[in-house]
Amino acid sequence: MSDNDVAPALNPRPKITDVEAHGIDTIPDADRTSTWVDLARIQFGGVNTFATILLGTFPIALGLSFWQAVAATVLGVAVGIVFLAPMGLFGPKTGTNNAVSSGALFGVRGRVVGSFLSLLTAIAFYSISVWVSGDAIVGALTRLAGVPDSVGLRLGIYAIIGFIVIIVVVYGYQFMLLVNKVAVVANTILILLALVAYAGVFDAGYDPGPKSLAIGGAFWPTFIAAALIVMANPISFGAFLGDWSRYIPRPTKPRKLIGATVLGQGLGLIPLLFGVATATLVVGKSDYVVSLIQASPLWYALLLLVVAFIGGLSTGTTSLYGTGLDFSSVVPRFSRVQATIFIGSIAFVFILVGRLVFDLLGTVNAFVGAIVVTTTPWMVIMTIGYLVRRGYYDPSDLQVFNRGETGGRYWFNAGVNWRGMTAWIVAAVVGLLFANYPPIIVGPFSNLAGGIDLSLLSSVVAAAVIYLVLLAVFPEPRYVFGPNGPRGVRARDGVIPAVRLDERSSAARAHARRAQTGALTSQETEA
């Protein structure tokens, strides 16, 4: 169906208490009951949390003044939106998530790159959300109830929040929409009340001076490092937008999908700037969240407890949902629910190790750096591919790997398109060589420009140039471009490889088992 066709009749929205039936398979047109407003809302809900607030504290922690930190934050969000906005276009066309959609460019097996990136992002932001929300609750209990702080208390709170997040994700997309609707309203109101709570102590003229700048006392390296850390927030959604936009009808205009991301991520400046402002109140404290609660008026300390809990659910669910969904296709014996529980458990172990063994801020810094450097070039390749393919995708052939089959439009070389894969690998390596996210990630070329972090620029340029050169020198088969042909690149003639069932694959066995289970269920219902 083309974008100009009339939309089909839609089924009623599932109840929020119904466990989501769809896995990684193509969403039928009749079940696409979401709108671009839902896409904006779930993004804003996902960023309107304490995890985002924590990222907003980094510019101040790196030694910038308040207004310098504001500028770095706005720049980071704006640049992040530029790269992120096209990522919402794939879901309505393919009916699946962005990792599977990337099979059109990386090959149906090569799309595991997207699966890896979603896993990296999910572990990082699920962990951050549980960490920060748990610490806020511990800080509130310590101040309000006199409960002594301890490792055991923190781990217990982490476990409770992490468990609730997993339960929400198991129910699926509709329950997540509800959580994010609550988060959008409640957290926005509570954060804006900070204008009242800190009116008497906040100083917009905060400026610790150049000696405080973290990267060699130099302004520009520190400023750019701060902007890149903030930029990780919108970039972290790159692998996940398709998880939600796949429920949006195909005829939805691209400008609405892009507008949803601009709106949802732009409103993310509210929690980020809250982090910037409040970080000036607790400079030098080792634990931002607990220190902020101790420094807050009593009435606002109570509200911060609510912000922490709701926000933890919001960010945790948006991060964990997509990875559980995608992991169920990479490891076919797992259902979406089983994969979600497995990934959630692995992430919780990471939380324990990260809290007990490593420095929290150093760990967060390294993860957000890795996300920016590896995910952004993948997004650049996805966007270029969308443009040269004129937005054409074959939803059925994208599912070949998930069904345990071989062949189809996107089989390329044994299921891998080496053009996209090569461009991404080289770009990611180049970016890491220039990266400067101490103390864990410090590339050998990190000081090449006087301490200015060139990781993003180098990885983006490398991805775009290498991918376009490979498309020009080694044209792709004409059949991948659809009936209207390529845009701006050459194509070669070829025959679409026949789709054949690979009976030896675990995906084929799992697909057959689920089909049989569904048939038995239908027979029982009819009986």
Side-chain angles (χ1 to χ4, degrees):
M1 181 171 67
S2 70
D3 287 355
N4 296 321
D5 291 337
V6 178
L10 299 179
N11 293 327
R13 284 200 182 203
K15 298 177 181 178
I16 62 171
T17 53
D18 292 340
V19 175
E20 183 178 0
H22 294 294
I24 209 69
D25 50 310
T26 306
I27 304 298
D29 289 333
D31 288 340
R32 300 189 185 192
T33 56
S34 287
T35 67
W36 71 271
V37 176
D38 290 323
L39 181 60
R41 183 186 293 116
I42 202 168
Q43 288 187 71
F44 183 34
V47 301
N48 200 17
T49 69
F50 245 114
T52 302
I53 290 170
L54 179 66
L55 291 181
T57 67
F58 272 80
I60 295 296
L62 291 176
L64 297 176
S65 71
F66 171 73
W67 288 111
Q68 290 168 348
V70 169
T73 300
V74 172
L75 176 64
V77 170
V79 175
I81 288 175
V82 170
F83 288 109
L84 176 65
M87 294 299 103
L89 298 175
F90 302 97
K93 288 184 175 291
T94 65
T96 188
N97 73 345
N98 281 359
V100 175
S101 298
S102 72
L105 307 172
F106 292 86
V108 291
R109 286 177 172 167
R111 62 89 169 175
V112 295
V113 168
S115 302
F116 163 75
L117 295 175
S118 68
L119 179 62
L120 175 69
T121 304
I123 291 178
F125 279 83
Y126 173 78
S127 301
I128 293 171
S129 66
V130 174
W131 261 332
V132 179
S133 299
D135 286 354
I137 292 173
V138 169
L141 291 175
T142 301
R143 177 175 179 184
L144 303 175
V147 178
D149 191 355
S150 67
V151 173
L153 175 63
R154 294 198 182 214
L155 296 185
I157 297 297
Y158 297 158
I160 292 172
I161 296 176
F163 178 74
I164 294 174
V165 168
I166 291 176
I167 292 299
V168 172
V169 174
V170 163
Y171 275 102
Y173 177 69
Q174 295 299 328
F175 207 136
M176 286 174 55
L177 276 180
L178 174 64
V179 169
N180 281 278
K181 286 177 181 178
V182 173
V184 164
V185 176
N187 279 11
T188 301
I189 292 174
L190 296 178
I191 288 175
L192 291 178
L193 283 174
L195 297 173
V196 178
Y198 304 120
V201 293
F202 171 68
D203 179 15
Y206 169 82
D207 186 353
K211 292 183 179 180
S212 69
L213 296 171
I215 302 180
F219 170 72
W220 284 112
T222 305
F223 180 85
I224 292 174
L228 287 175
I229 291 174
V230 171
M231 179 183 163
N233 206 52
I235 292 298
S236 69
F237 284 77
F240 298 134
L241 287 194
D243 300 343
W244 316 311
S245 66
R246 68 195 182 121
Y247 278 101
I248 297 176
R250 300 181 196 223
T252 303
K253 295 186 180 301
R255 68 172 182 269
K256 291 185 177 180
L257 298 169
I258 291 176
T261 295
V262 173
L263 177 62
Q265 296 293 334
L267 289 173
L269 283 170
I270 294 174
L272 284 167
L273 294 179
F274 176 90
V276 171
T278 53
T280 66
L281 306 178
V282 293
V283 172
K285 303 292 185 180
S286 59
D287 194 321
Y288 161 77
V289 180
V290 174
S291 299
L292 179 62
I293 289 177
Q294 297 295 332
S296 301
L298 183 60
W299 64 271
Y300 197 68
L302 286 168
L303 295 180
L304 285 177
L305 184 65
V306 179
V307 173
F309 180 72
I310 296 176
L313 294 184
S314 184
T315 294
T317 55
T318 53
S319 300
L320 188 58
Y321 172 79
T323 300
L325 178 69
D326 195 58
F327 196 75
S328 65
S329 66
V330 177
V331 183
R333 65 181 179 182
F334 283 172
S335 66
R336 183 189 67 82
V337 172
Q338 292 170 327
T340 295
I341 295 173
F342 176 76
I343 295 298
S345 300
I346 296 296
F348 186 72
V349 171
F350 178 79
I351 292 172
L352 301 184
V353 174
R355 168 52 72 185
L356 298 176
V357 179
F358 299 105
D359 171 64
L360 173 60
L361 293 182
T363 304
V364 171
N365 193 27
F367 260 92
V368 298
I371 289 168
V372 168
V373 172
T374 58
T375 304
T376 309
W378 179 79
M379 294 162 63
V380 168
I381 294 169
M382 289 280 284
T383 301
I384 293 175
Y386 183 93
L387 293 174
V388 300
R389 302 276 181 88
R390 300 181 188 272
Y392 173 81
Y393 296 88
D394 186 322
S396 179
D397 281 2
L398 285 172
Q399 296 288 340
V400 162
F401 176 80
N402 304 328
R403 296 193 300 257
E405 299 169 337
T406 63
R409 294 176 188 272
Y410 308 121
W411 187 244
F412 297 104
N413 298 94
V416 177
N417 186 352
W418 61 269
R419 302 166 187 80
M421 188 68 74
T422 300
W424 177 77
I425 292 174
V426 174
V429 170
V430 168
L432 289 172
L433 291 175
F434 284 93
N436 187 22
Y437 297 94
I440 300 177
I441 300 179
V442 180
F445 303 145
S446 58
N447 290 317
L448 195 63
I452 295 178
D453 193 321
L454 297 177
S455 60
L456 174 65
L457 178 63
S458 61
S459 64
V460 165
V461 171
V465 171
I466 294 172
Y467 186 50
L468 287 172
V469 167
L470 291 177
L471 290 179
V473 178
F474 304 98
E476 292 181 317
R478 192 174 305 279
Y479 54 73
V480 303
F481 296 98
N484 295 324
R487 176 192 284 128
V489 297
R490 295 187 300 132
R492 61 178 175 82
D493 294 331
V495 178
I496 302 176
V499 176
R500 294 186 174 90
L501 182 66
D502 182 4
E503 296 180 352
R504 298 171 299 173
S505 71
S506 57
R509 293 194 297 269
H511 188 74
R513 185 169 57 249
R514 289 169 188 158
Q516 183 179 15
T517 301
L520 290 174
T521 303
S522 299
Q523 291 173 8
E524 292 172 359
T525 302
E526 292 174 359

